[in-house]
Amino acid sequence: MRMTNKVVLITGAGSGLGEAMARRLAQEGALVVASDIDFAAVQGVVASIVASGGHAEAEHQDVTDEARWTALVDAVLARHGHLDVLVNNAGIALTGSAEDTTLADWQRTQRVNLDAVFLGTREAIRAMKTRGGSIVNISSIEGIVGEPLTAAYNASKGGVRIFTKSAALHCAAEGYGIRVNSVHPGFILTPMVENALAGMPAEQAAAFHARIIDSIPVRAMGEPRDIANGVLFLASDESRYMTGTELVIDGGYTAR
Ligand code: NAP
């Protein structure tokens, strides 16, 4: 039980990686507050965690809504007295190159993937600064290396990567005992990847999929639990000396 007595808030927990994180951290004894814009989906995840003996609560949250962040963090503090871990996981992946991305798609991507990570981090610092905590921001390998068809996504995830370091240094300088780290998943089979492929013309999607597998040194996509285990480590006290770092979980994709 590596997360006993820890209150954890995970965004985008109704699907994919966030769902896997919610299940894994609850397995280790955390009380998981699982939020998602899709309330029915996150209610389903929470019901299944509770049915298997875990502690979890579902919350409806659009991570781009600043007032909702304040209200949700206040509600967690009122109910449980403390917040120990925030995982900024919710994200979207719209495809488009630097030439054909619309301004609307660009701005929507930055709002969900980057602005919301800032809002969540700021609220979590407010909640954690008297007793410390761990903030885990989900970036991507695409916050480290470029991909021609995901211009807006690349920019947002690169922003998460370097914003995380800024927040980590601030919290260290203030002596808050709050660690802030980023996680960089490679290609993991979740609805996000399936939808991104579905959003491309069939031929382009087939070529993109083949290129993904060819480009992964271990020649396989990862599974959500591979990322959940990395988040568990950063959320737990086992990583107490880590802050401002990047945990890359990508089957070797960025090693060359
Ligand atoms: P996913 O299966 O699409 O799950 C993302 C969840 O976030 C969905 O439930 C989604 O709801 C929710 N969401 C979207 N917009 C939101 C908003 N404004 N407020 C609150 N929730 C919102 O995606 P995933 O693959 O698990 O990705 C999770 C995170 O990992 C993302 O930040 C992603 O960029 C990152 N990542 C994923 C991969 C990968 O290979 N899967 C690789 C690198 C990084 P809806 O379904 O209703 O939109």
Side-chain angles (χ1 to χ4, degrees):
M1 286 294 191
R2 297 152 71 185
M3 297 296 292
T4 304
N5 296 328
K6 294 214 188 283
V7 178
V8 175
L9 172 57
I10 304 173
T11 67
S15 165
L17 302 186
E19 173 180 350
M21 292 167 201
R23 291 183 188 282
R24 187 73 187 92
L25 271 63
Q27 254 177 15
E28 293 292 337
L31 189 156
V32 175
V33 180
S35 83
D36 204 286
I37 199 166
D38 183 340
F39 191 45
V42 81
Q43 280 180 309
V45 171
V46 161
S48 135
I49 291 173
V50 170
S52 54
H55 300 291
E57 298 167 351
E59 290 280 354
H60 182 235
Q61 182 189 20
D62 177 347
V63 291
T64 66
D65 181 340
E66 182 175 12
R68 179 67 183 124
W69 266 113
T70 306
L72 178 53
V73 168
D74 282 348
V76 170
L77 292 178
R79 281 204 301 268
H80 306 298
H82 52 100
L83 173 68
D84 303 292
V85 176
L86 168 67
V87 185
N88 278 308
N89 165 74
I92 56 171
L94 305 180
T95 49
S97 71
E99 252 189 314
D100 58 27
T101 296
T102 63
L103 181 59
D105 279 357
W106 174 273
Q107 289 175 334
R108 189 169 153 232
T109 303
Q110 309 316 319
R111 269 203 310 280
V112 178
N113 292 3
L114 180 57
D115 297 0
V117 170
F118 153 66
L119 292 172
T121 301
R122 196 181 62 183
E123 285 305 308
I125 291 172
R126 174 175 70 85
M128 293 174 178
K129 65 187 186 185
T130 51
R131 50 178 274 157
S134 171
I135 300 171
V136 182
N137 292 331
I138 307 303
S139 175
S140 169
I141 48 172
E142 305 209 1
I144 301 173
V145 296
E147 153 65 43
L149 293 177
T150 55
Y153 188 76
N154 271 139
S156 69
K157 294 297 186 179
V160 168
R161 172 182 170 274
I162 198 70
F163 165 71
T164 297
K165 296 181 194 304
S166 173
L169 292 174
H170 169 71
C171 291
E174 295 295 327
Y176 290 156
I178 303 173
R179 302 179 296 104
V180 194
N181 294 288
S182 56
V183 172
H184 301 259
F187 293 101
I188 315 294
L189 207 48
T190 67
M192 172 178 279
V193 173
E194 288 161 359
N195 293 341
L197 288 168
M200 296 176 190
E203 225 171 82
Q204 196 183 6
F208 185 58
H209 187 261
R211 195 151 51 81
I212 289 174
I213 299 296
D214 276 352
S215 66
I216 304 172
V218 302
R219 301 202 56 86
M221 289 176 94
E223 296 175 17
R225 69 189 163 108
D226 298 320
I227 307 308
N229 283 325
V231 169
L232 169 62
F233 172 62
L234 289 176
S236 78
D237 296 336
E238 293 158 22
S239 57
R240 57 180 281 275
Y241 196 54
M242 291 175 70
T243 196
T245 63
E246 301 161 28
L247 182 57
V248 179
I249 307 173
D250 69 350
Y253 186 88
T254 53
R256 53 194 175 186

